[in-house]
Each structure stands twice: as C-alpha cells, then as structure tokens.
Amino acid sequence: MIKQILVGVAALATATVSACASEVDDGGPSDMQIAHIAYTAGNIDIRYAHLALAISDNPDVREFAETMLRDHVAVNDAALALLAKLEAAPEDNETSQVLLSQALEKRNELKVLDGAAFDKAYAENELAYHQFVNKTVEEAFIPAADNQEFKELLGVALQTFKVHEGHAEMLVEKTK
Amino acid sequence: MRFFANVPKRRKAMQFMTAAGIIILAAACSAEADMPETHIVEMHGLTFVPATVEAKVGDTVLWINTDVMPHTATAADGAWDSGMMEVDDEWSLLIEEAGEMNFICTYHPGMEGVITAE
Ligand SMILES: [Cu+2]
C-alpha cells in the first residue's frame, strides 16, 4: 500500500509539472494539493482513532488513539486557519483519493477484529501509516512547498507525527 | 581618572551612566535576591523549553502552551497534574519543598523536564 501511494505522489508531482508548468517551478505538487493531501491524511488517522476508541478496551491503545485525535485535529485546525488567512482553498487530487480508498479498505479490515487482534493490527497500521506520512511530508511535501508559512506548518506537522511514530513503535511492542 | 583616559567626552558620560546603572541594578538585585521568582517553561515543538528549571522553595513555575496541540504538565510521580492545557493555556505550580521533581506530558512520550529546587 505504501509503495502504491508513494508512486501516486510521484505521479502527481509529474502530472502537476506538465499541467501547470507556469505555476510550479520546483517540480513538486502545488501547495494547495499538498494541503489537501496532508489534511486528508490527518482525517484518515482521526477516523482510525475513532474506530480504536469504539472497539478497543486496551488502556494503552485508547490513550494513543486519544492523542492521535487531539493532535491531528489540532494540526488540521491550524492548517485550516492558515488557509483562511491565505484566502486559499485546498485542491482535491488523485493522491488524496487514493489515500481515502486505501484507508477505507484498511478500516474494513480492522473493524471485523476485536480484542488483542484488533489492538495489534491497529498499532501496526499506525506505525506503518505514520512512517509513510512522515517520509512523504519530509521528502516530498516540505521541499515542494512554496509558501513559507505553509512550509513551516508542514514542519510543525512533521515534528508532531514523528513523535506519534515513536509512540506507535511503543504501542506495537505493548500489543505484540 | 585613568580609567577614562582615551575615551571621548560623550562616551565618558555614557560609561558613567552605565556604571551608575550597574550599581543601582546590583543594589536592586541584592535586595531582591530572596524574592520569589517565576520560571517560565514553554511547551513548544512537543518539548518543554527549558527542560531544566533551577528554582528555590517559594518560587513558581509557570507552564505556557505555545504549541499547536494540547499538552499536560504532570509530575512523573503523579504528585501534581495540570490536566489538559489547550493552546495558549497557562498553569503554575508553587515550589513548596526542596528536591528534584521530574515532569512529563502524559500525551507525548519523551516530552519531559526536571525542576531542581533548593
Ligand atoms: Cu505533550
């Protein structure tokens, strides 16, 4: 799944270059496409967290899910505030759609599980998901972002998600 | 006044005023040496800044959340807890006894600091 999405991001980057060469001079997706993907990625983790809170009785899992909810809502709110300030609207794109359909599949996989099996699968998915998002934000989005404030917000998001990645690693150990 | 030997007049005046200022400040400082202080710890970038606070009994530590997401300031041994601090929230703790107190954010593993009070 991760490979597929990375390919998607790369394809998007290429498509963007050919579609609006005049606007994009850095060979990456536009800021408003990145904003849409990042916002979507945050919402996906929020939905995983809601699922965990609905299914799991494990205090470590619930605590982790609560933190994902708080932080991803906060980062997404900060993104919306910045977009409002810039009077810009995020632009839907193929990568966002791929992310959404992959996440739907994953949620369907997770929601038939319960107990320790759910906890383990949720923890492993959180780790893989944050690893993928962090790699994409760090290697593709931050270098491609043009607006300085937007670049800085992506930096804050990356810092946050890296802490989540570390936290997810601990959760994987605990739910083994 | 050999000390001012090669200094132009205006700078002499300024040096005098600076020296006078330092003396007044020093006097003020020694008078305030035992006054309780407030130590500010910012929650920023998922860290406590500074992470180490050197305080005296009677001082106050004030946490301010300048981050994008909520945090907590919580004694590692559970003795005190700010509860959820939203963005821009502040919470303070009066240092009542000497010793070392580790503190953490209960939401973010690895977000920690220490107060050393004497
Ligand atoms: Cu925290």
Side-chain angles (χ1 to χ4, degrees):
Chain A
M1 159 188 171
I2 289 169
K3 238 183 207 165
Q4 263 172 291
I5 293 167
L6 277 175
V7 168
V9 172
L12 173 73
T14 316
T16 309
V17 173
S18 50
C20 42
S22 58
E23 271 181 66
V24 181
D25 54 357
D26 51 26
S30 75
D31 283 13
M32 289 310 110
Q33 288 172 330
I34 295 174
H36 197 282
I37 300 165
Y39 192 86
T40 301
N43 271 343
I44 286 170
D45 204 49
I46 288 168
R47 295 200 63 176
Y48 286 140
H50 279 301
L51 188 64
L53 291 172
I55 293 178
S56 182
D57 294 321
N58 180 318
D60 293 323
V61 170
R62 298 187 66 83
E63 203 176 289
F64 178 88
E66 300 271 15
T67 294
M68 294 309 106
L69 261 183
R70 261 192 318 270
D71 289 358
H72 285 287
V73 166
V75 170
N76 271 5
D77 283 353
L80 286 185
L82 178 59
L83 289 175
K85 189 183 143 191
L86 299 174
E87 295 181 356
E91 188 189 323
D92 199 357
N93 57 80
E94 219 184 307
T95 304
S96 291
Q97 293 308 315
V98 171
L99 280 177
L100 283 172
S101 67
Q102 301 275 10
L104 177 64
E105 235 172 81
K106 182 49 88 173
R107 278 202 309 279
N108 286 337
E109 254 176 71
L110 288 172
K111 74 183 174 196
V112 296
L113 303 173
D114 59 11
F118 173 86
D119 296 338
K120 182 175 184 292
Y122 171 70
E124 283 170 356
N125 183 55
E126 283 299 299
L127 178 57
Y129 187 67
H130 280 90
Q131 283 168 338
F132 154 68
V133 170
N134 289 345
K135 191 173 162 59
T136 309
V137 171
E138 190 163 24
E139 293 173 13
F141 291 176
I142 291 178
D146 295 316
N147 180 281
Q148 196 51 39
E149 276 179 282
F150 182 54
K151 212 188 248 293
E152 278 164 24
L153 181 61
L154 286 172
V156 170
L158 180 62
Q159 203 171 25
T160 309
F161 305 161
K162 280 194 168 169
V163 170
H164 292 174
E165 186 181 322
H167 199 167
E169 263 170 36
M170 290 163 54
L171 193 67
V172 166
E173 283 303 309
K174 283 181 181 168
T175 55
K176 251 183 186 170
Chain B
M1 295 287 276
R2 261 186 46 187
F3 179 67
F4 288 153
N6 296 317
V7 183
K9 255 193 181 156
R10 268 181 64 201
R11 281 188 56 194
K12 266 189 210 171
M14 281 182 64
Q15 284 191 352
F16 173 74
M17 284 168 70
T18 307
I22 288 167
I23 291 163
I24 291 166
L25 253 174
C29 283
S30 66
E32 278 174 14
D34 297 310
M35 296 287 282
E37 279 179 67
T38 297
H39 307 267
I40 293 174
V41 177
E42 275 187 61
M43 294 139 142
H44 196 81
L46 294 102
T47 55
F48 292 109
V49 186
T52 304
V53 180
E54 281 173 23
K56 293 182 298 296
V57 172
D59 286 359
T60 297
V61 179
L62 177 69
W63 283 267
I64 305 175
N65 184 0
T66 59
D67 223 338
V68 174
M69 71 288 300
H71 296 289
T72 76
T74 309
D77 66 4
W80 39 268
D81 181 10
S82 66
M84 189 197 294
M85 290 175 63
E86 302 268 8
V87 175
D88 292 333
D89 278 0
E90 299 181 1
W91 188 76
S92 65
L93 177 77
L94 177 67
I95 306 297
E96 289 174 311
E97 43 187 274
E100 204 174 83
M101 280 180 284
N102 291 297
F103 59 93
I104 56 166
C105 165
T106 57
Y107 303 154
H108 301 113
M111 187 169 165
E112 40 196 49
V114 61
I115 301 166
T116 312
E118 52 181 43

